[in-house]
Amino acid sequence: MEYRKTEIEGVYIIEPRVFGDERGYFFEAWKKQEFEENIGKVNFMQDNESKSVRGVLRGLHYQKGEFSQAKLVRVISGCVLDVAVDLRKSSPTFGKYVAVELSGENKRQFFIPRGFAHGFLVLSDEAVFTYKVDNPYAPQSEASILWNDADLAIEWPISTEKLILSQKDREATPFAEAEYFE
């Protein structure tokens, strides 16, 4: 696997080596030792999966305090635009974001450390999205930032009227009022 640093410290795009032939393909999606040598030690404890249709935007979500989560995300089938927003106040990239296209075809993965909000937009007819987390879900610590916050200026490639959002995401907190990480 190739571990590519992004312009935001701690966020990586991981390109697997895919071996294909007339039977199909094979690739290693997770190698603990290799991951720790390239990114660092993370104790993933749970895998999650979701299926969504075109236009679904989930995010921008995060968990606060001791329940913050690092995530390793990828798409099994379909295509999404995945976004990580830096919420670390002491970071030189505070309030900046990284966006990457993840798909079943490119098999790319995205590592998002603790201290970030995360969201994705489904670009294909449907997408199966999976991710590892290093902390369990804690509803009392969850938070959301508005997906279209003007301070973040995220460039989502689907028009607003075609988006499908949960009530929680429509009513999320503006970036200026969010709880940040130190």
Side-chain angles (χ1 to χ4, degrees):
M1 285 186 254
E2 178 187 347
Y3 294 80
R4 294 187 358 232
K5 292 181 178 181
T6 67
E7 56 273 11
I8 297 182
E9 183 68 33
V11 178
Y12 287 81
I13 298 169
I14 303 167
E15 300 277 356
R17 289 184 23 207
V18 180
F19 303 93
D21 60 24
E22 67 278 355
R23 300 169 298 165
Y25 68 85
F26 169 85
F27 74 98
E28 294 173 334
W30 166 251
K31 280 180 84 172
K32 183 177 192 269
Q33 182 176 343
E34 187 176 294
F35 185 91
E36 289 179 357
E37 288 170 359
N38 285 277
I39 294 178
K41 190 173 176 93
V42 178
N43 183 27
F44 291 121
M45 60 176 17
Q46 182 175 320
D47 283 359
N48 300 317
E49 182 175 300
S50 68
K51 181 178 178 183
S52 304
V53 297
R54 179 188 305 278
V56 167
L57 194 155
R58 296 181 186 266
L60 301 160
H61 304 152
Y62 64 103
Q63 290 193 167
K64 303 174 284 190
E66 66 182 286
F67 293 103
S68 65
Q69 295 177 321
K71 297 177 180 177
L72 179 61
V73 304
R74 69 185 180 108
V75 170
I76 303 292
S77 66
C79 182
V80 307
L81 181 70
D82 202 85
V83 175
V85 178
D86 192 348
L87 300 181
R88 304 169 298 179
K89 283 174 56 176
S90 61
S91 170
T93 54
F94 172 71
K96 304 294 184 207
Y97 72 92
V98 174
V100 61
E101 189 173 292
L102 306 176
S103 71
E105 293 220 357
N106 68 26
K107 304 195 181 354
R108 189 175 290 145
Q109 297 181 64
F110 196 34
F111 175 71
I112 305 159
R114 291 180 181 202
F116 284 75
H118 170 252
F120 66 90
L121 170 63
V122 179
L123 305 175
S124 53
D125 287 340
E126 62 180 34
V128 177
F129 186 88
T130 184
Y131 54 105
K132 297 181 174 304
V133 293
D134 72 340
N135 225 346
Y137 172 65
Q140 73 279 11
S141 294
E142 78 174 335
S144 295
I145 294 174
L146 274 173
W147 62 275
N148 61 348
D149 188 278
D151 290 336
L152 299 177
I154 297 171
E155 296 179 30
W156 300 105
I158 293 181
S159 63
T160 302
E161 57 276 355
K162 292 184 179 179
L163 295 179
I164 303 167
L165 296 151
S166 70
Q167 189 68 28
K168 175 177 80 171
D169 291 342
R170 280 194 290 282
E171 297 172 353
T173 304
F175 178 73
E177 298 171 23
E179 288 188 47
Y180 309 124
F181 295 83
E182 291 306 318

